[in-house]
Structure formats: structure tokens, C-alpha cells
Amino acid sequence: MARRSVPILKNLIARSSTPHSAASGLNHPIRSVTYMPRPGDGAPRAVTLIPGDGIGPLVTGAVEQVMEAMHAPVYFERYEVHGDMKRVPPEVIESIQKNKVCLKGGLATPMGGGVSSLNVQLRKELDLYASLVNCFNLPGLPTRHENVDIVVIRENTEGEYAGLEHEVVPGVVESLKFCSERIAKYAFEYAYLNNRKTVTAVHKANIMKLADGLFLESCREVATKYPGIKYNEIIVDNCCMQLVSKPEQFDVMVTPNLYGNLVANTAAGIAGGTGVMPGGNVGADHAVFEQGASSGNVGNEKILVQKKANPVALFLSSAMMLRHLQFPSFADRLETAVKRVISEGKYMTKDLGGISTTQEVVDAVIAALE
């Protein structure tokens, strides 16, 4: 059974103008031109909410508070789903199919035992074939490297994560690997629409000559249709070394399933940690937004007891969701508030070197919205 949370919807347009520009010395607001909405586009949208396991309810609850504080035109249909379930309940799938959009906390994945990951089930059931993680430097958060702004786009439903494996004879396990042209198309289309300059395909075709070879063939063919975008290829071994030594060289990276998981987490660690990196999963009809990269902190009991989970990644993922729903001014306000809090350095959770609780970060972001 879903539980609805409907924020009070008011002042939807009051804060749409850009704040005063101190840098320019102007004393009047600078108004920005955004898209022209169709009549009725401002109606509140239903979003399926899966709080998840461990710290999931804590960080999704933080998002709910901020959405209500900024009077965002969304309301949530909440469903309890947990990683130890055998399957994602049908009513949850139906809700996402109806609403087209979902916000999700982390779901714990049991190790072994024949229990499949609900995260993978959800992606396959809804055909969310593209995973996107944006790893970038945040002013005020010191990191070893500067000028990092990497988008990792990984195939989400095929390859090793498809779970297509079986035991042929005792002691011999066979795993099936596929490649898809559509992830290459999505990566180049994303780069084109977001004014990105380079797409780099990550592969292991020197060893996996057929499977990864087919992946490269698809990328090369699609690249010919986007002459304005530079196309590179890199073996995954070298990619990892280059990431930790010179990450600023990368722009958009497109990868098969397993490599993408490793590359995204590595890039996230370089840019400031998994707690601040947004992401989402998208298909032709549906999108699920969640923390972009995970380092296994979903079930960290110490963080949960202390209520010090970092909500920044899910805040930024929620801003991505608001843009996806065509509410760009709300997305801008949320992103600006989060970046302001980070830049001030007063409210940071332990993973960022601070001592703040989740609620203290929430309160700071809400105050920055004003």
C-alpha cells in the first residue's frame, strides 16, 4: 500500500528570478530566460518513492523535507521495499510505470545464496538501460584533483549484471555477456544535448575480442553520426590508472555494465566521495533517481544510529529529477543551495571530514534556499 506525502504547493513562481549578482555590482535581479512551458506543465507530479534499506529512509526523508520547504511541484507515493525481498512487489512496478519517475534510497543486496539484487530487477523490469553518474568537484570540498567533471554512462541491463549465469557441470559456471548499440547512442546524444566535447569508450577488447569488440564497433558507428564530438577509446586497465593520475582529461565515458560500476565509483572517490555524487537510471519510458555511486554504506549501522548519513548525493539526484520533470528553476535553486552549504564548509558529514548530522545538513540547505 502506498502512503502519499503531498507538500503545500504555493509560491511556485515567486523565486524563479536569479538572485542579485554581487560580482557584477548590480542592485537589481538578473532575470534568466528558461523554457516556455505548455499550459498545465506546472501541475504537481506524482513520484514513486522507495526509501530503501539502512540509511535510505534517512536520506530520502531529507529530500522530502527540502522539497516541501521549497514548495516543489511534486508529491510522493511511498512504498516499502527491502533488499531481502524475493522480488520487487508488483504494485511498486505499477506505480513507477504510472508515474514514469521514481526516487530511491539504497537497497541492500544479499551476498550469494541465490537471492538476486532488487536493484538489478528494477532496472531490468523497467528496461532502465542507461545508468548515469556525474562526478565533479564541489567548491569548498578539498580533493586531490581539480577540474574534474566526468559523466559515466554505463549499460545497465546486459552484460555481467544481467545475472545470466548458470552452472554447466559441477564446478564450471558460464556467464553470458552482451553489448548494445543503444547505450552508445544514448552517450553521444547526452554529450550532444549537454554541450560535452568528448566521448570515451571503456573496454577490454584486447582480451574480450568478440563481446567488447562488438561494443567498440557500435560506439565507432554511432560516433560517425556526431562529427562535432571527439571520440576516444581506452582499455579499462589503463582507464583506472588515468583516472587516479589525470581525471580531468575525461568528459563523457561510455562503458559496458561491469566496467561502468568500477569506473563510476573510482571517479566518485576522486571527485569527493560517493556521498556527493548524483545519478540516475533511465530508459525510453521511465527513470529512477538515486545516489550515483555506492561504496557499501547502505547498511552502515554506525552512520544510521548516529543519524549522520550524507544526503548531498540524493539532493543533487533530486535536482536531476526536477530537470527531468521539466521544473528547471526548482532544480537550479536546490543545486545552488546545496553547493552554497558545501562551499561554506560549516555543515559536513563525517565522510567529508565534518561532524554534522543529516538533519543539520538538511536545515542548512533549507536556510540556503531563502
Side-chain angles (χ1 to χ4, degrees), residues 82-155:
H82 301 287
D84 58 0
M85 293 178 172
K86 291 185 177 180
R87 293 204 59 81
V88 179
E91 60 269 23
V92 178
I93 299 295
E94 291 170 6
S95 175
I96 300 174
Q97 289 174 335
K98 171 177 66 75
N99 297 332
K100 308 295 185 185
V101 176
C102 173
L103 182 69
K104 184 175 81 66
L107 291 171
T109 300
M111 295 292 181
V115 179
S116 62
S117 166
L118 293 195
N119 295 302
V120 174
Q121 282 187 29
L122 200 59
R123 294 164 193 164
K124 290 173 66 177
E125 188 82 19
L126 298 168
D127 197 23
L128 305 173
Y129 67 87
S131 166
L132 186 149
V133 182
N134 191 188
C135 303
F136 55 92
N137 292 125
L138 285 163
L141 183 60
T143 57
R144 191 178 296 272
H145 298 278
E146 298 179 353
N147 303 316
V148 177
D149 186 4
I150 302 170
V151 174
V152 181
I153 294 175
R154 109 189 210 218
E155 208 295 317

Side-chain angles (χ1 to χ4, degrees), residues 153-175:
I153 294 175
R154 109 189 210 218
E155 208 295 317
N156 219 12
T157 57
E158 300 178 349
E160 293 85 351
Y161 272 64
L164 294 173
E165 58 182 8
H166 63 281
E167 192 170 24
V168 184
V169 296
V172 179
V173 175
E174 182 179 48
S175 177

Side-chain angles (χ1 to χ4, degrees), residues 60 86 132-133 270 276 283 294 300 310 323 326:
T60 55
K86 291 185 177 180
L132 186 149
V133 182
I270 290 165
V276 294
S294 173
N300 190 317
N310 192 341
R323 285 201 184 88
Q326 297 189 9

